[in-house]
């Protein structure tokens, strides 16, 4: 807060500069009277002055609150403010909870979808990758004179075709995974069958066996 | 229906939509409402500019040839003043009133029998009279926003003093901001009003067509009273060090007198 201690005698001068004054002394009587604040107001040109008195007994005379452009709040007023704010805070917290719940459900769904669709999507892609890779290797052997720049162009084109071809099936597989119904499950099995993924998986297992 | 009337109809919808959405934002405080309200205000002002421009092009005359057209121009000025005030001081809380007023003035324009095509009086071809009307309308637009700020100041001051409805303060701009915005709006509008009155004077002294006794006309006297009220406000604010509560009441009276200017029948100070 960059606070600085000043002598009590300098209070009127500093009061003229302040916008918010928080009074909290252990004085047994009021230290800020109406006459003092009134004299300060003349130099403030009606800039509002907020006085917050959190001392018990009070540091600021209650009559000060009657002055124009002076807003005096004590500990009871602050408690009332906090109570009135509480209801609003509670409703905002309920809204926040609802938002968190909604988002966590959406996140769980997306996780479930990824868990269901990932093996199938990666299987389809792996199969296509393997086919493209094999075909490109064969082509390279038959066209040894092609420059590396041209070869890169061919590879990029083949990859582009592969990605564009697989885009719609990938989207559909994710939709089926999100759906999760028996019919959607059946459709996913059909995709697996169409790409003959089970056989490919068996082959991989066979290869992996020592 | 002409293109300008179609645009004016759309303007009405935008002003009403903006006022309702910004009013709802005061209660619900949702960023989407604030952005939508501001977009509606910008859209309304742009459509209104298009409606006024097309009307001028269709009739080949100034945009305040009839009382109906003058009301339309005033509604546009109010919307522009709101956009300027919101841009400078973030005064979206004044939106429901400012856009609501713009909507009502545009409705009055729509219903005015002389809006849908009346020849401009010969007097309006005079540049001094055009300046007189334009400057006066712009000044009243700024005063309308100053009125909103003054009303907000009084509401906020009351809440803070009586300590009832304090959560509302979070929805409203700071006390010092509304007070200073009201001052700057009047500081902008007052020279325009002075210019408007002076332009009317120039026409009076140079003209031959105005009837004698024009200067003692109720409308003219009321215009001087409006000028005096805003001069009093500036003097009270700058030199006399009046409390902002008092100067805010002066601004409320000021706009009431401005609206009276439109309503008071005048034998000599009229269109045509």
């Amino acid at each position: 807060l960059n606070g600085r201690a000043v002598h009590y005698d300098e209070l009127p001068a500093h009061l003229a500069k302040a916008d918010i004054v928080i009074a909290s002394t252990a004085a047994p009587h009021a230290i800020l009277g109406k006459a003092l604040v009134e004299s300060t107001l003349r130099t403030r040109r009606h800039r509002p002055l907020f006085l917050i008195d959190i001392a018990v007994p009070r540091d600021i005379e209650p009559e000060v609150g009657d002055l124009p452009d002076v807003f005096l709040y004590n500990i009871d007023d602050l408690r009332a403010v906090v109570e009135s704010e509480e209801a609003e805070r509670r409703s905002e917290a309920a809204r926040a909870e609802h938002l968190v719940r909604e988002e966590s459900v959406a996140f769980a769904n997306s996780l479930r979808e990824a868990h269901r669709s990932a093996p199938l999507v990666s299987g389809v892609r792996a199969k296509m990758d393997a086919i493209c890779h094999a075909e490109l290797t064969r082509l390279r052997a038959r066209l040894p004179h092609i420059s590396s720049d041209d070869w890169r162009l061919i590879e990029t084109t083949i990859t582009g075709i592969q990605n564009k071809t697989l885009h719609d099936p990938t989207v559909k597989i994710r939709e089926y995974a999100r759906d999760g119904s028996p019919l959607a499950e059946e459709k996913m099995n059909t995709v697996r069958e169409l790409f003959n993924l089970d056989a490919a998986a068996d082959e991989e297992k066979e290869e992996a066996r020592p | 229906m002409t293109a300008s009337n179609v645009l004016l109809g759309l303007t009405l919808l935008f002003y009403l939509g903006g006022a309702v959405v910004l009013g709802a934002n005061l209660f619900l405080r949702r960023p989407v409402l604030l952005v939508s309200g501001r977009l509606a205000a910008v859209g309304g002002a742009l459509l209104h500019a298009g409606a006024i421009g097309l009307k001028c092009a269709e009739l080949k005359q100034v945009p305040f040839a009839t009382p109906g057209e003058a009301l339309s121009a005033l509604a546009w000025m109010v919307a522009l003043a709101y956009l300027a005030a919101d841009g400078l001081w973030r005064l979206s809380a004044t939106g429901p009133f400012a856009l609501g007023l713009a909507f009502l003035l545009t409705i009055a324009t729509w219903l005015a029998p002389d809006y849908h095509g009346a020849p401009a009086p010969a007097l309006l071809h005079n540049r001094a009279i055009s300046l007189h009307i334009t400057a006066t309308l712009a000044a009243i637009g700024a005063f309308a926003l100053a009125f909103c700020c003054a009303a907000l100041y009084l509401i906020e001051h009351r809440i803070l003093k009586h300590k009832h409805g304090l959560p509302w303060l979070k929805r409203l701009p700071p006390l010092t901001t509304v007070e200073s915005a009201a001052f700057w709006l009047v500081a902008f509008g007052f020279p325009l009003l002075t210019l408007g009155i002076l332009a009317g004077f120039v026409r009076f002294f140079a003209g031959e067509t105005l009837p004698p006794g024009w200067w003692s006309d109720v409308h003219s006297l009321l215009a001087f009273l409006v000028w005096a009220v805003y001069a009093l406000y500036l003097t009270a604010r700058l030199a006399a060090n009046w409390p902002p509560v008092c100067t805010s009441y002066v601004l409320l009276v000021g706009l009431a007198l401005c609206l009276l200017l439109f309503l008071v029948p005048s034998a000599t100070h009229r269109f045509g």
Side-chain angles (χ1 to χ4, degrees), chain A residues 15 32-41 49 51 64 67 70:
Chain A
L15 205 55
L32 211 54
K34 191 176 177 183
L36 174 61
V37 178
E38 205 165 14
S39 67
T40 309
L41 285 180
L49 177 62
L51 300 172
V64 171
L67 292 170
V70 175

Side-chain angles (χ1 to χ4, degrees), chain A residues 1-129:
Chain A
L1 287 175
N2 206 14
R4 187 165 58 87
V6 294
H7 198 268
Y8 182 74
D9 296 342
E10 294 172 45
L11 183 62
H14 286 277
L15 205 55
K17 291 180 202 160
D19 291 322
I20 302 170
V21 176
I22 301 171
S24 174
T25 74
H29 52 80
I31 57 164
L32 211 54
K34 191 176 177 183
L36 174 61
V37 178
E38 205 165 14
S39 67
T40 309
L41 285 180
R42 274 182 222 116
T43 56
R44 293 176 62 84
R45 294 193 63 84
H46 298 289
R47 214 169 69 240
L49 177 62
F50 281 83
L51 300 172
I52 301 168
D53 187 357
I54 56 173
V56 180
R58 305 270 184 259
D59 278 342
I60 305 171
E61 284 176 3
E63 294 76 30
V64 171
D66 300 334
L67 292 170
D69 309 306
V70 175
F71 306 101
L72 172 62
Y73 285 74
N74 58 38
I75 197 85
D76 298 325
D77 298 325
L78 292 181
R79 196 173 294 130
V81 172
V82 170
E83 276 166 15
S84 68
E85 293 271 310
E86 210 175 317
E88 197 179 340
R89 274 210 307 274
R90 218 176 288 131
S91 85
E92 287 296 315
R95 255 189 79 231
E97 259 174 41
H98 180 69
L99 276 177
V100 170
R101 209 175 301 123
E102 258 183 6
E103 287 304 312
S104 47
V105 167
F107 181 67
N109 283 343
S110 70
L111 265 185
R112 201 176 306 123
E113 174 215 306
H115 181 69
R116 277 197 198 133
S117 65
L120 189 51
V121 170
S122 64
V124 170
R125 286 202 167 262
K127 178 138 192 179
M128 286 298 285
D129 277 345

Side-chain angles (χ1 to χ4, degrees), chain B residues 8 38 47 62 64 70 88 104 124-125 127 153 166 219 231 238 246 263 266:
Chain B
L8 196 71
R38 281 182 173 149
L47 285 167
V62 288
F64 35 74
L88 286 169
L104 290 177
L124 287 180
H125 296 303
R127 277 187 188 169
Y153 184 92
L166 284 164
H219 189 95
L238 292 171
C246 300
L263 299 174
S266 167

